[in-house]
Amino acid sequence: NAGVTQTPKFQVLKTGQSMTLQCAQDMNHNSMYWYRQDPGMGLRLIYYSASEGTTDKGEVPNGYNVSRLNKREFSLRLESAAPSQTSVYFCASSRDNENQPQHFGDGTRLSIL
Amino acid sequence: GENVEQHPSTLSVQEGDSAVIKCTYSDSASNYFPWYKQELGKGPQLIIDIRSNVGEKKDQRIAVTLNKTAKHFSLHITETQPEDSAVYFCAASTGYALNFGKGTSLLVTP
């Protein structure tokens, strides 16, 4: 049972390039989330998807787009990467979106030069 | 929005001692409080959680207490072991979003 799988694990981009981060879960969860983690800032919610077919903005959505491809997969896209988006990105899932434990992947470490 | 404060930012204890990490939250509507452990290069892993209708919860060496009136909750680790060394995060939720504290780096020395 893999849980939450994120690809790629590492990526280096140049400013202005685009990139899609992939996330898949095999727990039959309804809700999925994207967070970014920066030193000294904890984890901050970028976007979430309460259920298949819905997406909503979190605390820091600017510069990102998301797609809930199906129940299993939730992708995060950077259309024009900026150095301020250098971070570690975590995907998470939960059974539903009402006060349920969230299960995290091991992250994508993204550097933008 | 919800603001979660976590203290201390670093904590060093000797093996066998207890460790306590404290968090406060601002939104009285918060009703779910998980704690996560994050090891280097890994994602956060849920270790224990508590809901607002419960004052205390224990799981082996780990316990969490919640004081809704004062809006604070704490993680207690007893009989610490070197493998407890990691970064610990508290969080508070009113529904869909987890609002995280900034983390506590715990070091357990043999």
Side-chain angles (χ1 to χ4, degrees):
Chain A
N1 191 343
V4 178
T5 302
Q6 293 185 237
T7 56
K9 295 188 186 304
F10 303 93
Q11 185 70 46
V12 178
L13 294 178
K14 294 181 179 179
T15 298
Q17 287 186 315
S18 61
M19 165 124 199
T20 299
L21 280 59
Q22 307 287 353
C23 174
Q25 51 90 12
D26 62 3
M27 296 174 281
N28 200 35
H29 284 168
N30 290 309
S31 302
M32 298 184 74
Y33 312 81
W34 277 105
Y35 292 88
R36 61 177 289 174
Q37 184 177 36
D38 302 298
M41 296 292 291
L43 288 94
R44 293 180 292 169
L45 183 66
I46 304 171
Y47 270 94
Y48 70 101
S49 171
S51 60
E52 188 178 352
T54 68
T55 61
D56 285 285
K57 295 178 180 180
E59 180 185 355
V60 288
N62 291 346
Y64 305 95
N65 286 300
V66 291
S67 296
R68 183 75 182 265
L69 305 172
N70 48 55
K71 189 172 185 178
R72 291 187 63 247
E73 297 172 289
F74 188 38
S75 63
L76 178 72
R77 183 162 178 83
L78 287 69
E79 290 290 354
S80 179
S84 61
Q85 294 177 305
T86 293
S87 189
V88 183
Y89 292 86
F90 289 99
C91 177
S93 70
S94 65
R95 192 178 69 191
D96 60 43
N97 69 326
E98 288 293 333
N99 297 329
Q100 293 294 319
Q102 293 185 16
H103 302 267
F104 285 80
D106 281 338
T108 293
R109 284 143 187 85
L110 183 62
S111 293
I112 299 162
L113 306 177
Chain B
E2 174 67 278
N3 183 42
V4 178
E5 299 281 343
Q6 183 172 347
H7 299 280
S9 57
T10 61
L11 180 59
S12 182
V13 300
Q14 285 204 313
E15 183 176 1
D17 287 348
S18 295
V20 180
I21 302 170
K22 299 182 179 182
C23 289
T24 61
Y25 60 98
S26 60
D27 190 343
S28 57
S30 292
N31 52 14
Y32 176 63
F33 307 91
W35 285 88
Y36 286 86
K37 176 184 181 182
Q38 186 176 27
E39 297 176 334
L40 197 62
K42 298 289 188 181
Q45 180 183 12
L46 180 72
I47 55 172
I48 197 168
D49 57 8
I50 193 168
R51 300 180 189 279
S52 59
N53 58 347
V54 176
E56 184 174 359
K57 184 177 179 181
K58 189 174 182 180
D59 183 4
Q60 299 183 342
R61 296 186 297 109
I62 294 173
V64 58
T65 59
L66 171 65
N67 183 327
K68 284 183 60 180
T69 302
K71 289 191 279 189
H72 66 71
F73 57 113
S74 300
L75 177 72
H76 304 254
I77 306 174
T78 59
E79 300 173 18
T80 54
Q81 302 166 3
E83 51 265 39
D84 294 328
S85 295
V87 179
Y88 292 80
F89 291 95
C90 64
S93 174
T94 58
Y96 65 88
L98 286 180
N99 296 284
F100 284 86
K102 294 183 178 180
T104 296
S105 179
L106 174 64
L107 177 64
V108 180
T109 55

